[in-house]
Amino acid sequence: MATKEITLKLMIHKEKNQIVYAESGNDFVDVLLSFLTMPLGTVIRLTGKQSEMGSLHNIFRSVEDLDVQYLQTESCKNMLLYPKSASEEHCRNLIVNIDDTEPTNYYLCNDGNVQPFGSIHHDFKHLISSFPDKKCRCGRSVERTILREKSMNAGDGKDGVFVKGKMRYMITDDLQVLPVCMRTSLELLERFGISDAAVLKERNVNLGQEEVLHLLKSSLLSKTPLTDVFLPMQHTIDEVTLGLKVKELDSKDMAHSHTETEIGSNCRKMNVNLFVSKSRNKVLYAQVGEEFPDLLFSFLAFPLGSIVKCLGGCTSMGCLDDLYKSIKELNKRWMKSEETKPLLLDPKLAPYFGSTNQLIQINELPGKLSTFACSNCYGIGVTDSGFGACSHGNRKIQVEAINPKFRDVVTELGGAFMAGPGMFMVTEELIVKPLSTISGISFLSQFNIPISDLEEQVVSVGEEEALSLLKASLISKTVLSDVFLKKPK
């Protein structure tokens, strides 16, 4: 099958060799907006595990290297490395979809023929699982694949996925999305100091998966991602500037970077033992229980849009904040439906992808699904909302999914990814390993630090500290020191 592409028209400043803005239909805007629905784990996997995005790649690699015995179930590892998007059904309809996460499949008990036990108008309850290695209450394997119907809220290819079709949009170099308007176009030219249209030139380009993937990575690291992608010979991501930004992080800034967002009602705290080099004012590593790694690992399931919201629009990641703000300010008449903006600006976690240790207030979608069952062939179709039917007719049933974080049959939300009790070592760049005293001593030797220079400090981590850890993990390689140690003036 031929690879689909999107056509984009660029307005380029010839002298500066920089893109002033791009013009496109809804197809390209939908792709940009889908970035906000992507979980961090998906972004890291797509952009490369050696990504320049702070210490996130270390969290991802730590999950990869962790023995499954430290996790509640084998499914937990898969959930963290391949987190699901709550907008999965919508993003399947993108013209160019770079998310390689396997579509969610549902499995029914081997004895799962839908046998009616009441009126056709009654609800029936059945258990399904998104992982085939689970057991039903009856003890049989939950491995019979059932059909998942296309969501009624997903895009239809004509009116777009997130924004309405039959409209043209302007996209600035820092990914602000605006409806096509001559006045706005002139304002952009004025911003570039352009008074003579002769310095401008047009160019048409096509985007496939490779270009969109490059754009995703650039959007998280650069303020000029369009130029970086389409004029690569003259413009590359300024890694030197990025490094300086990381070095200038201040622990006070980290703790208060989310002042625009109210701290929720979560009063839970966890203690973390830090081992600090007094002379270097540097955290070497932390000694923690399983709750703290669970908190860090939970970041991988967070959608980018929810991260921007939690940090008050101040992630300091490329132009992600600009994209988020422009969608926030975009008139709702350009959006596909009333529900579209919340999908992008306050995206939920997919069902069962939250953790009791995440501390940060991001809600999950419920685990109950609307379904239909054919009265002739006993096939079940799962929809996100409403009911569907095959050609034979339908019978309404109620289905609950099994929470994959539990070994027993549990349908309620909740649970943790990490099993306990356990003790772990977390370096300041967020490499997580099972605790070993030998590794700890070797760590001191590696940094040539005398034992007398070592100091133990106990800090308390609640929601505010968790938000600071989240922000630091996005842009810093010295996370624990940035968050918990006061920098000398």
Side-chain angles (χ1 to χ4, degrees):
M1 185 173 66
T3 303
K4 294 182 179 180
E5 291 186 335
I6 295 172
T7 300
L8 196 63
K9 182 178 289 187
L10 305 178
M11 180 66 75
I12 301 172
H13 193 303
K14 291 187 290 187
E15 295 176 359
K16 295 183 178 180
N17 202 57
Q18 185 174 358
I19 294 173
V20 181
Y21 65 89
E23 195 174 294
S24 79
N26 63 285
D27 47 7
F28 179 62
V29 175
D30 281 335
V31 168
L32 285 182
L33 301 194
S34 73
F35 293 171
L36 297 175
T37 71
M38 281 188 179
L40 267 181
T42 301
V43 174
I44 297 166
R45 193 179 68 252
L46 293 175
T47 58
K49 299 167 194 174
Q50 300 301 326
S51 167
E52 294 88 357
M53 291 187 296
S55 300
L56 290 171
H57 63 285
N58 287 330
I59 298 178
F60 191 92
R61 288 170 56 196
S62 295
V63 176
E64 277 189 320
D65 296 339
L66 194 65
D67 194 298
V68 293
Q69 67 172 313
Y70 297 106
L71 297 164
Q72 292 284 6
T73 65
E74 291 186 13
S75 301
C76 288
K77 190 165 190 172
N78 187 282
M79 293 171 73
L80 292 168
L81 298 178
Y82 297 88
K84 300 291 186 181
S85 166
S87 297
E88 172 188 356
E89 295 295 325
H90 295 75
C91 293
R92 283 188 197 175
N93 293 274
L94 296 170
I95 300 298
V96 178
N97 183 14
I98 60 172
D99 189 350
D100 63 356
T101 308
E102 287 292 327
T104 301
N105 292 316
Y106 286 98
Y107 305 91
L108 190 66
C109 173
N110 276 333
D111 190 32
N113 280 346
V114 181
Q115 300 296 337
F117 50 86
S119 165
I120 195 170
H121 301 293
H122 289 175
D123 291 342
F124 307 115
K125 292 186 178 180
H126 292 267
L127 290 178
I128 60 174
S129 172
S130 55
F131 289 88
D133 58 346
K134 298 301 175 186
K135 297 286 186 181
C136 180
R137 288 194 181 101
C138 67
R140 293 182 175 87
S141 296
V142 181
E143 57 186 20
R144 174 187 165 198
T145 305
I146 58 177
L147 171 68
R148 174 141 194 166
E149 289 293 304
K150 183 192 295 186
S151 170
M152 294 180 182
N153 291 327
D156 53 17
K158 298 179 181 179
D159 199 22
V161 178
F162 299 112
V163 293
K164 289 182 178 178
K166 302 176 183 177
M167 276 294 302
R168 300 288 293 175
Y169 298 87
M170 300 169 61
I171 303 94
T172 63
D173 201 9
D174 58 357
L175 301 190
Q176 296 182 58
V177 178
L178 306 160
V180 162
C181 173
M182 183 56 71
R183 185 201 302 180
T184 305
S185 176
L186 295 175
E187 289 174 353
L188 287 174
L189 298 182
E190 184 178 352
R191 186 191 306 175
F192 272 77
I194 299 172
S195 56
D196 184 0
V199 302
L200 300 172
K201 66 176 179 180
E202 294 182 22
R203 180 190 297 179
N204 290 335
V205 295
N206 292 327
L207 292 88
Q209 287 193 328
E210 183 178 347
E211 291 79 13
V212 172
L213 188 57
H214 189 182
L215 186 60
L216 169 63
K217 185 171 184 177
S218 297
S219 70
L220 301 175
L221 298 172
S222 170
K223 284 291 186 182
T224 57
L226 291 182
T227 298
D228 295 334
V229 173
F230 298 110
L231 304 175
M233 299 301 293
Q234 293 78 20
H235 292 266
T236 57
I237 297 169
D238 191 346
E239 296 183 15
V240 176
T241 302
L242 183 67
L244 289 174
K245 179 177 68 174
V246 171
K247 290 178 182 177
E248 292 170 358
L249 285 174
D250 182 86
S251 57
K252 182 178 179 181
D253 292 336
M254 298 309 305
H256 298 286
S257 61
H258 48 272
T259 51
E260 296 179 30
T261 304
E262 292 185 5
I263 300 298
S265 57
N266 190 347
C267 298
R268 187 178 175 194
K269 300 271 187 178
M270 59 180 72
N271 288 333
V272 172
N273 288 45
L274 303 176
F275 289 86
V276 181
S277 168
K278 293 181 288 186
S279 62
R280 303 184 188 186
N281 195 42
K282 168 187 173 72
V283 174
L284 300 178
Y285 61 89
Q287 178 179 304
V288 295
E290 75 279 357
E291 298 92 348
F292 190 69
D294 201 61
L295 164 65
L296 298 178
F297 293 162
S298 72
F299 294 170
L300 298 177
F302 290 1
L304 289 178
S306 66
I307 293 171
V308 182
K309 179 179 182 291
C310 287
L311 296 177
C314 301
T315 65
S316 301
M317 292 185 72
C319 55
L320 182 64
D321 298 333
D322 296 319
L323 175 62
Y324 184 93
K325 183 179 178 183
S326 72
I327 302 310
K328 192 174 183 179
E329 295 176 349
L330 193 65
N331 193 308
K332 63 181 181 181
R333 65 191 289 253
W334 307 116
M335 310 306 292
K336 181 171 181 184
S337 69
E338 291 285 339
E339 294 77 27
T340 303
K341 271 201 174 186
L343 280 178
L344 301 168
L345 302 179
D346 188 18
K348 303 294 188 291
L349 298 171
Y352 308 120
F353 276 80
S355 169
T356 53
N357 296 310
Q358 73 184 44
L359 299 183
I360 298 172
Q361 302 297 307
I362 300 177
N363 296 324
E364 294 175 67
L365 290 179
K368 294 182 179 179
L369 301 168
S370 300
T371 64
F372 71 88
C374 175
S375 57
N376 287 345
C377 64
Y378 298 115
I380 296 181
V382 183
T383 60
D384 287 331
S385 63
F387 298 103
C390 72
S391 59
H392 301 122
N394 76 53
R395 176 176 295 113
K396 182 179 179 182
I397 64 171
Q398 182 180 350
V399 165
E400 289 184 331
I402 298 173
N403 189 332
K405 299 201 296 294
F406 291 90
R407 296 191 182 276
D408 299 326
V409 176
V410 175
T411 59
E412 291 78 16
L413 300 180
F417 297 104
M418 296 290 290
M423 296 299 295
F424 296 85
M425 184 171 106
V426 181
T427 66
E428 75 161 353
E429 61 269 29
L430 303 187
I431 298 173
V432 180
K433 295 181 178 180
L435 182 64
S436 164
T437 55
I438 294 177
S439 297
I441 299 300
S442 298
F443 212 71
L444 298 180
S445 176
Q446 176 185 339
F447 286 96
N448 195 25
I449 294 174
I451 295 177
S452 59
D453 188 44
L454 199 62
E455 178 182 68
E456 184 177 3
Q457 298 180 13
V458 179
V459 296
S460 181
V461 177
E463 185 175 3
E464 183 173 354
E465 293 77 17
L467 285 166
S468 295
L469 285 165
L470 174 59
K471 177 167 184 177
S473 70
L474 301 174
I475 55 177
S476 171
K477 299 191 184 295
T478 55
V479 176
L480 298 185
S481 295
D482 291 331
V483 173
F484 296 115
L485 296 187
K486 293 181 180 179
K487 300 293 182 181
K489 295 183 179 179

